[in-house]
Amino acid sequence: MDTTHRKPSRSRPGVVAPMVVAAVAAVALLPAPAATAATTTTTTSAAETASTVARGGGRAAAPGTIVAVEAGGGMTAAQVSLSLRDSGIDASRVRYGATWYRVLYRTTDSAGAPTTASQLVVLPHTRRASLPVVSWLHGTTVHRDEVASVNPASNDRRAALLFASTGRAVSAPDYVGLGRGEGFHPYGDAAATVSAAVDGLRAARALARGTGRDLAREVQISGFSQGGPATMLVGRALQEEGRDPYFRAGALAPVSGPFELSAFEAAAADDAVDHAPLYLAYFATAWDRMYGLYDAPADAFRAPYDQRIEELFDGRHSARDLMEALPATSRELFTPAFLDRIRKPDGELARRLRVLDRTCDWRPDVPVHLFHGSGDQDVVFAHARHCVAQLERGRADYALTDVGAVDHNTSVKRALPLVVDFFDRRRP
């Protein structure tokens, strides 16, 4: 995505210091997963850290280079099943235990500048030398610690464990600015999303090779909510742009994604979706940091919220914190002029939104299976139909499954086992 109109930063809340705590040299020391494993935690030594930096794990390293393997643990198949059942996810597909790692790696941000991001990598307890691989792309996350690599209770951690328990390696990037990465999260930026995912796959492959195994070329890609359009963006980058010389898209399974972002934000401006003020404020503050959406917070936000809004969206406040701090409606939070601009975007804003309205407007060489809940009031079912219309124009091989009259977060729990079944039919 073109970032020539990026706004000079006033200040960037949530920036963390660069982390160089372990390295590529240490990856070769990681044990291959055993057939069974109790939960464990591992860290790397200072000597390993120094060795890694010397080998290029520092700030000048190429995208996908591992900077650190910070922590890890193992779960038996029984433990994975219990975790899934406790969260309301069907565990009948579980076959193997798995070992997980939090991996820091080099990538690029929304301006194309080098940065560090984190991800969860999960390897199954199988003896297969070449592992099928899934890229799991998470949904909207406002607190940097509520991601798969940090929070063991997150549904994204459970999704990754489910895929790994079926014999697949999993790369679950936290995206730029979340988890243990640097900077703020460029919410919705196409370029940063693709970079975090593709570079995460490269880092996951390096880690797997350090255990004596490799990842298959074909990547099965799935994601929820924000991760739905991301699934299509990453698939297109691997197919059309040749973004990586090794990896190729193998199958695409987006879940409950906002495929027409301009319509989603306009609905949020009209308070026509659940949690409208939170979604629209996250969008506004992130896009202002990236592209210069307004000159001052008071141009977009009513008093007194204009005084605190950037502090609230600093990556250190949970969704509950934000809902308690924000008013119940967008009408109470935003100025009338800003709401009108969101309803009828023009110029640079319209151009950037158009990119994210057209994430399905291409012809994938692989099957696409969308999953969405007809009861979803956060991202309504019309978004799935919008994607389907674009896929039909491109004569793509696609399917759409309604997972039922359930809310947004329940839709992904319903969809995940069905995604596994879809991927099983495409297993390399």
Side-chain angles (χ1 to χ4, degrees):
M1 180 181 290
D2 177 22
T3 56
T4 56
H5 295 274
R6 181 187 179 97
K7 180 178 182 178
S9 175
R10 292 187 293 273
S11 64
R12 290 188 181 171
V15 175
V16 295
M19 293 174 285
V20 182
V21 294
V24 179
V27 173
L29 305 177
L30 294 170
T36 59
T39 301
T40 58
T41 299
T42 60
T43 56
T44 51
S45 70
E48 291 166 352
T49 299
S51 175
T52 298
V53 173
R55 289 170 177 253
R59 297 187 65 83
T65 299
I66 292 178
V67 174
V69 181
E70 260 191 357
M75 297 179 74
T76 65
Q79 289 171 325
V80 173
S81 294
L82 179 61
S83 176
L84 295 174
R85 287 195 300 269
D86 284 349
S87 65
I89 300 172
D90 181 359
S92 62
R93 279 77 168 170
V94 173
R95 298 193 294 275
Y96 307 102
T99 296
W100 62 267
Y101 309 89
R102 181 164 63 237
V103 177
L104 278 69
Y105 61 98
R106 299 301 287 163
T107 187
T108 51
D109 64 15
S110 58
T115 190
T116 297
S118 59
Q119 69 169 329
L120 183 77
V121 176
V122 192
L123 301 180
H125 294 168
T126 67
R127 299 189 182 280
R128 188 169 178 172
S130 179
L131 295 170
V133 57
V134 167
S135 176
W136 172 253
L137 306 172
H138 69 73
T140 298
T141 304
V142 292
H143 194 297
R144 64 165 51 245
D145 289 344
E146 294 298 321
V147 290
S149 80
V150 180
N151 181 8
S154 76
N155 283 330
D156 295 300
R157 172 75 66 93
R158 294 185 174 107
L161 288 168
L162 171 62
F163 290 122
S165 76
T166 67
R168 296 170 168 88
V170 181
S171 166
D174 299 328
Y175 305 148
V176 171
L178 296 173
R180 295 293 181 258
E182 300 174 298
F184 72 95
H185 175 47
Y187 185 46
D189 182 78
T193 299
V194 170
S195 294
V198 175
D199 295 336
L201 285 166
R202 292 167 178 155
R205 187 183 183 210
L207 187 143
R209 295 177 81 175
T211 70
R213 298 191 285 178
D214 203 350
L215 303 187
R217 293 192 74 192
E218 289 193 354
V219 184
Q220 298 177 321
I221 309 167
S222 185
F224 169 59
S225 194
Q226 177 186 355
T231 295
M232 302 306 295
L233 286 167
V234 174
R236 188 171 192 171
L238 291 178
Q239 176 178 305
E240 293 189 348
E241 300 171 20
R243 188 62 178 263
D244 186 84
Y246 179 76
F247 289 112
R248 298 291 181 269
L252 306 175
V255 180
S256 303
F259 292 105
E260 189 176 11
L261 189 64
S262 61
F264 177 82
E265 301 302 346
D270 288 336
D271 292 306
V273 297
D274 285 354
H275 313 111
L278 189 154
Y279 284 124
L280 188 52
Y282 198 11
F283 167 83
T285 54
W287 280 44
D288 179 59
R289 289 168 183 155
M290 290 186 287
Y291 314 132
L293 206 55
Y294 44 79
D295 291 330
D299 295 335
F301 297 91
R302 292 178 182 268
Y305 306 106
D306 61 320
Q307 299 300 310
R308 285 198 64 206
I309 197 69
E310 292 189 344
E311 173 193 339
L312 288 171
F313 285 89
D314 63 355
R316 294 295 181 186
H317 291 78
S318 68
R320 177 172 293 184
D321 294 335
L322 294 172
M323 286 188 285
E324 290 176 353
L326 297 176
T329 65
S330 293
R331 178 171 49 82
E332 297 170 274
L333 178 59
F334 294 94
T335 64
F338 184 78
L339 292 176
D340 285 343
R341 187 180 176 201
I342 295 299
R343 294 183 187 110
K344 298 177 181 179
D346 59 11
E348 185 68 5
L349 174 60
R351 187 185 71 80
R352 292 185 181 279
L353 285 170
R354 195 174 302 118
V355 172
L356 296 169
D357 287 347
R358 300 178 63 182
T359 57
C360 300
D361 194 13
W362 57 293
R363 185 177 184 177
D365 292 337
V366 298
V368 181
H369 198 140
L370 294 92
F371 300 87
H372 212 112
S374 55
D376 194 335
Q377 296 302 309
D378 286 59
V379 181
V380 297
F381 201 83
H383 286 277
R385 296 193 184 100
H386 176 83
C387 180
V388 162
Q390 292 179 341
L391 292 172
E392 283 183 342
R393 285 198 298 270
R395 298 183 180 180
D397 177 3
Y398 78 89
L400 168 60
T401 294
D402 180 355
V403 298
V406 296
D407 65 24
H408 192 53
N409 289 329
T410 303
S411 72
V412 68
K413 296 179 182 182
R414 291 266 188 101
L416 280 167
L418 304 179
V419 174
V420 169
D421 294 342
F422 169 57
F423 285 169
D424 279 349
R425 295 191 293 271
R426 294 285 304 174
R427 186 183 286 269

